[in-house]
Amino acid sequence: MLGLPLRGVRVVDFTWQGAGPFTTKALADHGAEVVRIESSRRLDGLRSMGPYRDGIKGLERSGYFANRNSNKRDFALNLKHPAARDLALRLIAQSDIVANNFGPGTMEALRLAYDDVRAVRPDVIYLAMSVNGSYGPERDEVGYGLTVSSRTALHYLCGLPDRLPVGTGTNYPDHVAAPCHATFAVLAALRHRRRTGQGQYIDLSQAETMIALLGPAILDCSANGRVPTRQGNRDAAAAPSGVYLCAGADRWLALSVATDAQWRALADELDAPEWTTDPRFATLVARHQHHDALDAAIAARTRDREPYALMDALLRRGVPAGVMQTAEDLVERDPQLRFRGHFARLDHPEMGPSLYDAPPFRLQGVAEPIMRTPAPLVGQHTREICRERLGLADAEIDRLIADEVLL
Amino acid sequence: MSATAPATRPPAAPGSGALDGLRILEVAGLFGAYCGKLFAELGADVILVEPPGGAPQRRTGPFLDEAPGPDGSLTFAYLHSSKRGVTLDLDTADGQVLFRGLAASAAAVVESAPPGALDARGLGYDALGAPNPALVYTSITPFGREGPYADLPASDLTLMALGGLLCLGGYDDGEPTRAYGDQALRAADQFAAVGTLLAILQAEATGQGQRVDVSAQECVVLALENAIQYYDLEGTVRRRLGAGQRQAGIGVYPCADGHIYLLATTYGQKWDPLVHWLMDAGVKGAEQFLEPRWRTVEWLQQEEAKAIFLEAFLQLTLPRTKAELYAGGVERQLPLCPINTPADVLASPQLAARGYFAAAAHPALDRPLVMPGAPYQLSATPWRLRGPAPTLGQHNAEIYAELGLGPADLAHLRAAAVL
């Protein structure tokens, strides 16, 4: 059996807030030693955003912060102090990867840019993942997760064609697009370095990673001269494709019927044999043409059906169906997520046992546990890092704290 | 590359890809397409193994000139760029022999058949890993290879529903709506790429491969922001908020040529620059927004506050275009951006400066297809579009030649519908 794949890989982590920490979480979860640089003079903004344990605000109580910071250590280096840079570089000299998601120029102002860092660690892998990338006329745009959705056309494309665009309801690019691409790039760079000894600079634009996931829509525009419209829950490959209210409060069932066999199964399950002889619904093409009428007909039949029972019945008949699940459903009742052990409960010094996402894939040869430690407290590992990694005696550490280099 | 690229990027040696020397066998299916593309465009040799009738993405729109055909799908052209392609019927004994032959030299197999389907054909991890102990075998399925839901059918929409993201999207006074562009399928592919590359790194270090088991449902769960934590820590169930304003100063607002998004929160002191902009623009009554109550989130979330703010802010936005409003926001360091359409994205000066869009030849076109290019810029081993998506069976001859097949063998196999 194998250990964690990234054991021995060291990351100095200047990322904070959104997309950056999800990237370094993927590295930490798989065994990299990730040291977050975070001082009380410049706290991670997510610590001040809810939810909080029991609804009580506190820097060590935010679940928004915690989930994306599993398995990491926290080093309270005060980057505003002139003596901090030297400590950062000493840490970097022993590390493999340096990551940040600041706006361009920030690391340059700290004299911790790629060229500065290469001077102490020539083969460093340096990840810079700003909103728009490190150069270009709009590189200095002030942005947050939802602005990436807006600028990349994701927000425009989500929702109903005859209503305001509505986006995904989340900072979607922060959670999947940017961190997955950044992690993949870092791992690729790690492979290159193992084969050649050469590190490199990775300039990643969060917006560019999201646009990459909308390729077909971009092509429809560039090749066909069309501006794609919002589709709601419709799908060219399936009809019906949509969500239908069932019994209960705000209980929707999603359905995707791609074949005539699935269509007959749906009609049978909903006690509507007349649909199979209705010319409006006889073929996929016809069902697309009469989709509004189809939706109304289905909704009339689902309205008094218990959603999970209907879902189970349809799935057993080979019809893709899925209840719109809430966070409560996912945590309390979803049997598949329970089987997969998706939610790890880690015991945090202030928050107590609380839920974290495990990685959504399993490396089945790895015997070591993945979800090991909860999000760190501010500066939680400062002393041990000073001792173990920087070889500092306690007296020196005390002096650095008194001088506010460590804060 | 753009001439304004910074000088810290040393030129890359020709042919240097970070993933050089890796052969990835991608079995065409519902999942895997974007995973293979990520590998191919950082240098891996990705072979798309299609059934003789073609990969499902060939039947997925949009289509060039809205004309379906085996090479007409723009989705196929995008997701399968930079790969070579072979055809193979994995239900035939001859097809299975050939697949085993290809897998013998592969670093990874990426497949999304129903759980157990490839095992039943002697093409599972146990069969392929025995002669190739470093093989990484990645299975991408809706729910995972095992468990109560493992054998159940799914689609992007039903995965969005069961994974919890559908609950957060859509209209609070209407239906929930899914993310555009099959994002559950794409999320599974992205995480599959990360997991596969982790396993490949480990295999190259230890000589030992392994299975990578990707659940698309779990990938969707990773996108839920803080919804799980809201339930776990506060007992609150987050639901869709709908369109329009979330609070005064946050939301989507109409303008002269579309919509803009504004995120003027009290966090980060964005409120004062916004108020001064309104005042500078001569918006009547703008001074009221300097009053203390406008700095409290509780007031900003009131319907009355939203209505007052909306009336004032529209005086600014309705006469101005997305571009003008964006420029004003930049000047004042406000998080304001246009709700871009795909056409706006294609015309973006920022993306042009980054050299972002790539051009791929297409068999039916006399001009290249313009598509998103590098999602990251690596200084030593840059992303590279290696070529267009393959036509059906385009590389059968050259790839099966590695297994000792000549033209007569290929003709025989074609006649038997193995290829």
Side-chain angles (χ1 to χ4, degrees):
Chain A
M1 291 298 268
L2 298 163
L4 291 169
L6 297 180
R7 277 238 180 270
V9 174
R10 290 173 156 173
V11 182
V12 181
D13 184 4
F14 294 89
T15 71
W16 66 337
Q17 307 205 72
F22 266 116
T23 307
T24 54
K25 168 184 160 71
L27 301 173
D29 287 352
H30 288 97
E33 184 196 317
V34 174
V35 174
R36 289 172 45 85
I37 306 298
E38 179 184 21
S39 100
S40 53
R41 278 289 156 81
R42 200 184 192 189
L43 294 164
D44 192 313
L46 288 194
R47 290 183 181 275
S48 305
M49 294 174 74
Y52 303 100
R53 165 53 77 192
D54 302 330
I56 299 167
K57 191 167 177 170
L59 293 176
E60 306 294 358
R61 304 178 72 84
S62 164
Y64 204 6
F65 170 81
N67 185 39
R68 64 196 73 188
N69 289 291
S70 49
N71 293 316
K72 300 176 190 173
R73 305 210 289 167
D74 209 275
F75 185 57
L77 186 61
N78 175 14
L79 292 175
K80 297 180 197 220
H81 194 291
R85 178 178 182 268
D86 184 64
L87 286 179
L89 288 172
R90 285 170 61 186
L91 206 55
I92 288 169
Q94 312 163 3
S95 302
D96 304 288
I97 298 164
V98 175
N100 86 84
N101 62 334
F102 297 135
T106 308
M107 291 294 269
E108 286 74 6
L110 293 168
R111 291 187 302 128
L112 291 172
Y114 179 50
D115 287 337
D116 299 306
V117 162
R118 259 206 299 187
V120 302
R121 181 81 199 207
D123 64 348
V124 75
I125 293 163
Y126 190 100
L127 169 68
M129 48 186 297
S130 56
V131 169
N132 286 327
S134 74
Y135 64 95
E138 290 164 6
R139 70 170 213 164
D140 295 322
E141 174 187 71
V142 176
Y144 305 92
L146 287 176
T147 61
V148 176
S149 301
S150 305
R151 126 181 315 280
T152 58
L154 176 67
H155 196 96
Y156 173 86
L157 288 167
C158 295
L160 293 170
D162 53 355
R163 294 196 64 172
L164 277 180
V166 80
T168 64
T170 64
N171 292 333
Y172 183 75
D174 276 7
H175 302 102
V176 180
C180 282
H181 284 84
T183 305
F184 189 75
V186 166
L187 293 176
L190 203 54
R191 179 176 187 265
H192 179 70
R193 196 180 74 167
R194 288 179 180 180
R195 301 172 84 221
T196 67
Q198 185 184 30
Q200 61 187 308
Y201 171 65
I202 302 171
D203 177 359
L204 182 145
S205 153
Q206 296 177 31
E208 289 172 3
T209 66
M210 186 64 235
I211 297 166
L213 299 173
L214 297 170
I218 298 294
L219 273 163
D220 201 11
C221 197
S222 69
N224 288 336
R226 289 176 31 166
V227 179
T229 50
R230 289 181 284 286
Q231 301 285 303
N233 294 309
R234 299 262 168 105
D235 184 345
S241 171
V243 297
Y244 306 93
L245 262 180
C246 296
D250 201 37
R251 277 302 191 187
W252 300 82
L253 182 66
L255 296 176
S256 295
V257 169
T259 69
D260 291 338
Q262 289 171 355
W263 170 242
R264 285 191 293 275
L266 176 68
D268 192 54
E269 183 57 43
L270 294 182
D271 290 320
E274 68 276 14
W275 291 351
T276 57
T277 54
D278 188 328
R280 294 176 303 162
F281 303 150
T283 64
L284 190 66
V285 170
R287 290 193 292 276
H288 272 300
Q289 282 169 350
H290 301 280
H291 210 308
D292 290 346
L294 186 54
D295 283 346
I298 294 172
R301 301 294 173 133
T302 61
R303 198 65 189 83
D304 54 5
R305 298 288 296 265
E306 200 285 320
Y308 280 97
L310 181 54
M311 176 182 89
D312 288 342
L314 289 169
L315 288 170
R316 273 185 272 113
R317 289 171 178 265
V319 180
V323 174
M324 182 200 82
Q325 300 207 103
T326 65
E328 179 175 12
D329 295 327
L330 295 174
V331 171
E332 302 292 359
R333 74 177 295 166
D334 188 290
Q336 184 65 15
L337 293 177
R338 182 168 313 242
F339 177 90
R340 293 277 292 188
H342 180 81
F343 296 115
R345 195 172 286 282
L346 298 173
D347 194 359
H348 183 276
E350 185 159 340
M351 296 169 69
S354 38
L355 295 181
Y356 292 72
D357 283 308
F361 53 84
R362 303 286 176 281
L363 269 58
Q364 297 198 308
V366 172
E368 288 190 72
I370 301 288
M371 298 306 289
R372 304 174 307 284
T373 61
L377 309 177
V378 180
Q380 180 175 350
H381 306 89
T382 301
R383 277 193 181 273
E384 63 190 77
I385 289 169
C386 283
R387 269 185 246 118
E388 295 166 11
R389 299 280 301 272
L390 300 174
L392 299 175
D394 282 330
E396 290 173 275
I397 300 170
D398 292 337
R399 189 179 53 75
L400 288 167
I401 294 172
D403 290 347
E404 296 189 345
V405 182
L406 300 173
L407 188 55
Chain B
M1 278 293 180
S2 162
T4 55
T8 49
R9 301 218 318 261
S16 65
L19 303 182
D20 284 351
L22 294 176
R23 170 166 287 183
I24 312 292
L25 284 187
E26 179 194 326
V27 181
L30 182 64
F31 300 101
Y34 193 75
C35 174
K37 178 182 168 78
L38 287 169
F39 273 92
E41 289 166 353
L42 285 184
D45 171 25
V46 179
I47 299 172
L48 177 67
V49 180
E50 299 187 67
Q57 291 83 27
R58 289 190 188 273
R59 297 180 281 283
T60 306
F63 296 96
L64 192 56
D65 300 326
E66 297 180 52
D71 295 318
S73 165
L74 295 171
T75 295
F76 185 90
Y78 179 68
L79 293 176
H80 293 294
S81 62
S82 303
K83 303 173 190 173
R84 294 192 290 168
V86 298
T87 50
L88 202 53
D89 183 350
L90 298 181
D91 287 332
T92 63
D94 284 338
Q96 290 156 16
V97 167
L98 290 177
F99 191 88
R100 276 184 224 115
L102 294 178
S105 62
V109 167
V110 176
E111 62 90 13
S112 58
L118 288 182
D119 295 271
R121 292 168 176 76
L123 301 178
Y125 176 60
D126 295 331
L128 300 183
N132 183 1
L135 181 70
V136 172
Y137 195 101
T138 296
S139 299
I140 314 172
T141 58
F143 304 106
R145 286 181 52 244
E146 293 172 321
Y149 286 6
D151 297 319
L152 299 178
S155 66
D156 182 85
L157 176 61
T158 65
L159 287 167
M160 281 279 161
L162 288 169
L165 190 57
L166 186 68
C167 182
L168 301 178
Y171 302 92
D172 54 340
D173 60 353
E175 69 184 64
T177 56
R178 68 165 172 154
Y180 183 94
D182 286 341
Q183 296 303 325
L185 306 186
R186 299 294 99 79
D189 283 359
Q190 290 167 79
F191 282 106
V194 171
T196 302
L197 190 47
L198 277 168
I200 287 174
L201 285 172
Q202 189 159 46
E204 290 190 319
T206 63
Q208 194 174 337
Q210 63 192 301
R211 278 189 192 275
V212 179
D213 181 354
V214 186
S215 156
Q217 182 196 18
E218 286 190 70
C219 295
V220 174
V221 176
L222 264 289
L224 302 183
E225 201 165 64
N226 55 15
I228 298 296
Q229 286 70 37
Y230 257 109
Y231 176 70
D232 181 43
L233 302 178
E234 297 191 6
T236 303
V237 174
R238 264 190 63 180
R239 289 178 191 270
R240 58 199 183 278
L241 295 174
Q245 286 192 102
R246 271 218 255 160
Q247 67 185 46
I250 298 181
V252 173
Y253 301 89
C255 65
D257 62 346
H259 300 84
I260 55 100
Y261 180 79
L262 175 68
L263 186 67
T265 56
T266 46
Y267 167 74
Q269 294 118 31
K270 302 303 175 193
W271 190 254
D272 279 357
L274 172 61
V275 179
H276 286 110
W277 192 6
L278 295 173
M279 289 165 59
D280 293 345
V283 170
K284 293 194 192 36
E287 306 75 27
Q288 68 174 306
F289 299 116
L290 292 174
E291 292 163 18
R293 66 177 180 169
W294 292 96
R295 290 177 209 291
T296 66
V297 171
E298 295 70 30
W299 167 243
L300 293 172
Q301 288 175 344
Q302 299 297 316
E303 289 307 311
E304 189 191 340
K306 293 195 305 191
I308 296 170
F309 179 80
L310 180 66
E311 194 275 329
F313 193 54
L314 288 183
Q315 292 181 51
L316 181 78
T317 66
L318 287 178
R320 292 171 175 79
T321 64
K322 290 183 286 198
E324 289 170 325
L325 291 165
Y326 173 69
V330 167
E331 197 187 312
R332 292 164 177 80
Q333 293 227 297
L334 278 171
L336 180 153
C337 65
I339 305 288
N340 277 344
T341 68
D344 295 326
V345 170
L346 281 163
S348 159
Q350 173 65 14
L351 296 174
R354 295 273 291 177
Y356 178 65
F357 291 103
H362 187 278
L365 276 185
D366 56 4
R367 66 188 190 284
L369 290 178
V370 173
M371 60 177 69
Y376 23 57
Q377 296 187 7
L378 282 72
S379 61
T381 58
W383 178 96
R384 200 163 68 86
L385 182 74
R386 301 174 70 144
T391 57
L392 193 59
Q394 181 174 349
H395 302 96
N396 282 352
E398 71 191 56
I399 288 172
Y400 291 127
E402 295 177 18
L403 301 179
L405 300 189
D409 304 305
L410 294 181
H412 166 76
L413 289 168
R414 261 195 301 275
V418 175
L419 300 184

